Amino acid sequence: MMEYNQQLKLQAYLDGELPEAEAREVANWLARDREAVALLTELRNTRQALAGFEAGFRVPESEDFYWSKIRREIERLEPVEAPVRPAIPWFKRLRGLLIPAAAAAVLAIAGLVVMQELGLRQRGTPGEAETALADAGTFTYRDFSARATLVWLTYPAENEVAGEDPIGTMD
Amino acid sequence: MRRYVISATCLAWLAIIALLFGPARVLAQPAASKFEAQLIWGTNDSKSPDPRHKPVTPEILERLKELPLKWSHYFEVNRRQFALATNEGKRIEMSDKCDIEVKNLGNSNVEVALFGKGEKVVKRTQPLPSGEILVLGGNAPNATAWLVILKRIK
């Protein structure tokens, strides 16, 4: 059985593609091997048959035009069909829209409730308010750098409590 | 498809529950705050006639000097620390003549009432976050002053 490489070499020999030295080797090989001669003969006959067939065929138009006609005809007979999607029932489509819409709405409501709660708490906190009682006059000083609020009271008046205590009125 | 729909619905409900109850419950937790109140006597004398009085801490002195007060020396007469849960109030005796009533309103807000000789003199509501001080003061005999300093310490 002849190897594939040997078959290729015979084909190259037949096509005249081998260098001179290799061509000589192949010629010597052919002189010794009947199988090789038989294959070479078959290959030669095949080439001759193909060459004769090709020579007898002539395309009536230019090649490009000829093949373009064939392509157009194929396209006409087999129009490209768009993939048909299965029809989705309207309630499924509606459900598909309703789920995210409902979730967004409920989240928005929840957010509003939380914000309202926070807002009420914030509004519920009184900020700053001061009520002076017992005829006390007050003034308030706020020092942002010292982070301090000073509320100065005129009560108790010195003459009201003073004198009883060497240190002060409130201490 | 149906499984995904159920999963999405469950997730939405979980998110709603978390939104509704998570922050609200955290906010609703009654957080106890610790306060400190000091009764201070301000004078221009370098020494107090009362040996029990001690000079205020440098931090308080520095902050008092940033306020429009004319005294150069301040002595601590009394100091009280107390804890208040949210919406809890306490009356604190600072001296025989001076009480304060502090109520923790939550969200860093406090309501402070000052009593002189048992009589409510002033009531004030304001934010008092940690690090801030509220100074209530007035004139005392011999060109001195009394001060009540309230601060949140925790």
Side-chain angles (χ1 to χ4, degrees), chain B residues 68-95:
Chain B
L69 298 172
K70 61 183 181 181
W71 295 275
S72 53
H73 295 87
Y74 297 92
F75 295 95
E76 184 181 303
V77 180
N78 192 11
R79 182 200 293 238
R80 299 284 304 273
Q81 288 190 352
F82 51 97
L84 293 176
T86 303
N87 292 323
E88 185 188 4
K90 268 184 192 167
R91 186 159 173 160
I92 311 292
E93 184 181 325
M94 301 305 296
S95 73

Side-chain angles (χ1 to χ4, degrees), chain A residues 92 95-96 99 103 106-107 109-111 113-114 117-118 121-122 125-136 138-143 145-158 160-171, chain B residues 2 5 12 15-16 19-20 23-24 27-28 39 41 49-50 53 63 66-69 71 77 95 97-98 105 107 109 114-117 119-127 129-142 144-147:
Chain A
K92 278 195 178 176
R95 192 174 62 181
I99 288 170
V106 176
L107 284 175
I109 290 167
V113 169
V114 172
E117 188 178 354
L118 285 173
R121 281 165 188 267
Q122 289 295 328
T125 58
E128 289 192 17
E130 188 176 293
T131 311
L133 305 163
D135 298 329
T138 63
F139 78 84
T140 303
Y141 172 81
R142 172 96 179 120
D143 191 313
S145 63
R147 300 189 69 191
T149 304
L150 171 67
V151 179
W152 200 253
L153 308 167
T154 60
Y155 176 87
E158 284 193 44
E160 190 174 333
V161 194
E164 298 174 2
D165 192 318
I167 288 180
T169 53
M170 297 285 277
D171 53 336
Chain B
R2 186 171 178 77
V5 170
I16 292 158
L19 263 176
L20 277 176
L27 288 169
L39 181 62
W41 181 55
D50 190 332
H53 293 178
R63 297 183 81 166
E66 291 187 55
L67 296 174
L69 298 172
W71 295 275
V77 180
S95 73
K97 302 171 193 169
C98 173
L105 300 177
N107 291 335
N109 289 281
L114 178 76
F115 296 85
K117 290 187 164 184
E119 189 179 5
K120 190 182 277 187
V121 178
V122 71
K123 187 171 83 172
R124 180 173 174 81
T125 305
Q126 70 162 69
S130 182
E132 293 212 4
I133 60 172
L134 168 63
V135 182
L136 302 167
N139 290 314
N142 303 320
T144 62
W146 59 268
L147 306 167

Side-chain angles (χ1 to χ4, degrees), chain A residues 47-65:
Chain A
R47 190 177 70 170
Q48 281 174 354
L50 288 174
F53 178 75
E54 284 177 354
F57 184 78
R58 287 286 179 274
V59 177
E61 302 97 357
S62 71
E63 260 186 41
D64 289 343
F65 183 65

